[in-house]
Amino acid sequence: EPEVTQTPSHQVTQMGQEVILRCVPISNHLYFYWYRQILGQKVEFLVSFYNNEISEKSEIFDDQFSVERPDGSNFTLKIRSTKLEDSAMYFCASRAPGTGGAYGYTFGSGTRLTVV
Amino acid sequence: AQSVTQLGSHVSVSEGALVLLRCNYSSSVPPYLFWYVQYPNQGLQLLLKYTSAATLVKGINGFEAEFKKSETSFHLTKPSAHMSDAAEYFCAVSESGGFKTIFGAGTRLFVKA
């Protein structure tokens, strides 16, 4: 069964450093997403990406965050200057083309980001 | 704007007992509704979805959910709990044509032997 692959599974970084979280969505999917889950809290929407541009973003997704699909297969989330409160599990998801939001997502296993 | 409320952050049942996890939604247009399951240290896996076809939706692992428009609910049930069902369950909503899915806060299911 096709999978969404995320790397690394765990990353530790110092406050103020830049991090790039990587995702390889399912090959025929066209919609891509980043969500985050702070330990013990809800899954929060960060950003959606379609047709090589951001289609929607939350208020969490400020100027410190950016996304890119550099080569047609990878989908990356960059945090320019990490803060302690960025520590969370970050999930990438993709979905197949279809009717609006009717299709569920396929999620990756997540990257646990720890900012120290 | 759409939102999801899951009643009960923790639910505990005995093995073999009925599982009922509650979800209420708010949406300005007919919604698409989902249940996801998250096992420890893993990602989210789609259990089932409602997309305006049958109101009773069957998913994987014996789970099902019923869409009740009058109650704005989409509760998840399973007739007989198994130890392997212990996990966190998230109800989620998206709108037709929308680009994002909104998740509830999650309900952790404990299954006692």
Side-chain angles (χ1 to χ4, degrees):
Chain A
E1 189 171 330
E3 290 184 345
V4 174
T5 305
Q6 288 187 246
T7 55
S9 57
H10 192 184
Q11 180 153 0
V12 181
T13 188
Q14 289 202 326
M15 190 169 53
Q17 295 296 303
E18 173 184 286
V19 296
I20 297 176
L21 309 183
R22 303 182 191 279
C23 170
V24 179
I26 294 173
S27 61
N28 67 334
H29 285 189
L30 298 180
Y31 300 84
F32 313 109
Y33 306 84
W34 283 101
Y35 283 78
R36 80 173 185 188
Q37 185 181 28
I38 294 171
L39 187 63
Q41 298 186 26
K42 66 191 300 182
V43 178
E44 300 174 293
F45 169 77
L46 291 179
V47 66
S48 59
F49 191 86
Y50 170 70
N51 200 26
N52 287 319
E53 61 182 23
I54 291 173
S55 45
E56 194 164 356
K57 61 183 180 179
S58 72
E59 57 193 29
I60 301 168
F61 195 88
D62 61 21
D63 291 345
Q64 293 299 311
F65 291 88
S66 62
V67 289
E68 206 174 36
R69 189 162 159 76
D71 56 12
S73 61
N74 290 286
F75 179 51
T76 62
L77 174 69
K78 182 192 291 187
I79 308 174
R80 289 189 182 80
S81 178
T82 50
K83 303 187 284 286
L84 293 176
E85 53 265 38
D86 293 327
S87 295
M89 181 75 89
Y90 288 80
F91 291 107
C92 173
S94 67
R95 72 170 172 90
T99 305
Y103 285 76
Y105 300 169
T106 301
F107 279 85
S109 297
T111 294
R112 181 168 296 286
L113 177 65
T114 303
V115 182
V116 297
Chain B
Q2 65 233 46
S3 66
V4 173
T5 302
Q6 291 184 241
L7 298 176
S9 58
H10 297 84
V11 170
S12 181
V13 300
S14 298
E15 194 173 20
L18 171 72
V19 175
L20 171 61
L21 305 182
R22 299 177 187 274
C23 172
N24 289 88
Y25 71 91
S26 171
S27 177
S28 56
V29 299
Y32 298 129
L33 295 160
F34 309 86
W35 277 98
Y36 287 85
V37 60
Q38 184 181 31
Y39 297 101
N41 301 313
Q42 293 188 27
L44 294 140
Q45 181 183 4
L46 181 65
L47 264 182
L48 50 79
K49 61 185 178 186
Y50 165 76
T51 58
S52 76
T55 57
L56 181 63
V57 180
K58 294 187 185 300
I60 62 172
N61 300 338
F63 283 94
E64 61 183 38
E66 186 172 7
F67 172 70
K68 291 187 177 181
K69 184 178 178 181
S70 60
E71 299 177 9
T72 61
S73 69
F74 190 58
H75 302 332
L76 182 71
T77 60
K78 182 174 180 178
S80 177
H82 191 272
M83 297 296 288
S84 60
D85 295 328
E88 184 126 24
Y89 292 80
F90 293 91
C91 183
V93 63
S94 69
E95 294 178 349
S96 175
F99 284 107
K100 67 183 180 186
T101 294
I102 299 299
F103 286 80
T107 297
R108 184 166 297 278
L109 176 66
F110 296 92
V111 182
K112 300 174 291 187

